């Protein structure tokens, strides 16, 4: 828990800067896709415990400045889990990347997803692979994906 608590504290310091990048048209749609991408990345190790789930909820609250409230995030995570189980995580990662591309804000969405992955326990290899799949489907180059994930680590 200490790792996610430390990451959330650090995120609070940089939240305004990241929030500025997320201030885009159709912000709710970008948030929804970004949360799903973050969920999929956090599930990269195959499971999500209560601490990770609560950390994602807190991260979303921080980044949305309360525009997305806990019960909405909790419901959204349930929807993400259902889609991942029904369609498969790989297919969902590609679909989320395509949605971010269509929304025209793939980089902002991927940054938010990377922040979620980071605060839940750091971005491990399997989580990075999910972020690469989302970014690739969104049309983001491999170098840019690396830079975004690295930036999330500094957030």
């Amino acid at each position: 828990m200490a790792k996610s608590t430390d990451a959330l504290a650090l995120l609070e310091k940089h939240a305004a800067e990241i929030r500025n990048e997320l201030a885009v048209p159709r912000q709710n749609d970008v948030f929804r896709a970004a949360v799903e991408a973050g969920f999929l990345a956090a599930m990269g190790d195959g499971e999500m415990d209560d601490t990770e789930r609560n950390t994602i909820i807190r991260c979303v609250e921080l980044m949305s400045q309360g525009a997305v409230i806990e019960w909405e995030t909790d419901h959204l995570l349930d929807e993400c889990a259902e889609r991942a189980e029904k369609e498969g995580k790989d297919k969902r990662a590609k679909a989320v990347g395509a949605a971010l591309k269509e929304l025209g804000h793939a980089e902002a969405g991927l940054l938010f997803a990377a922040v979620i992955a980071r605060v839940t326990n750091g971005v491990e290899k399997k989580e990075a692979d999910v972020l690469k799949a989302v970014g690739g489907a969104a049309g983001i180059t491999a170098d840019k994906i690396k830079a975004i994930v690295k930036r999330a680590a500094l957030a």
Side-chain angles (χ1 to χ4, degrees), residues 31-41 76 79-80 83-84 92 96:
F31 250 79
R32 181 176 284 286
V35 168
E36 184 168 2
F39 168 85
L40 293 167
L76 177 57
E79 290 175 350
C80 294
R83 285 190 296 268
R92 288 307 309 156
V96 169

Side-chain angles (χ1 to χ4, degrees), residues 2-25:
K3 191 173 189 176
S4 64
T5 303
D6 293 344
L8 279 172
L10 192 57
L11 175 60
E12 284 186 56
K13 289 182 180 179
H14 299 284
E17 176 187 332
I18 296 169
R19 223 180 277 116
N20 284 338
E21 290 194 36
L22 292 170
V24 296

Side-chain angles (χ1 to χ4, degrees), residues 35-54:
V35 168
E36 184 168 2
F39 168 85
L40 293 167
M43 289 289 297
D45 64 1
E47 61 185 22
M48 178 179 294
D49 62 25
D50 288 341
T51 300
E52 287 178 312
R53 186 178 182 97
N54 291 333

Side-chain angles (χ1 to χ4, degrees), residues 64-86:
S64 71
Q65 288 189 308
V68 181
I69 55 178
E70 182 178 343
W71 69 267
E72 290 174 314
T73 305
D74 202 44
H75 180 72
L76 177 57
L77 293 175
D78 288 342
E79 290 175 350
C80 294
E82 288 173 19
R83 285 190 296 268
E85 187 175 320
K86 182 178 177 183

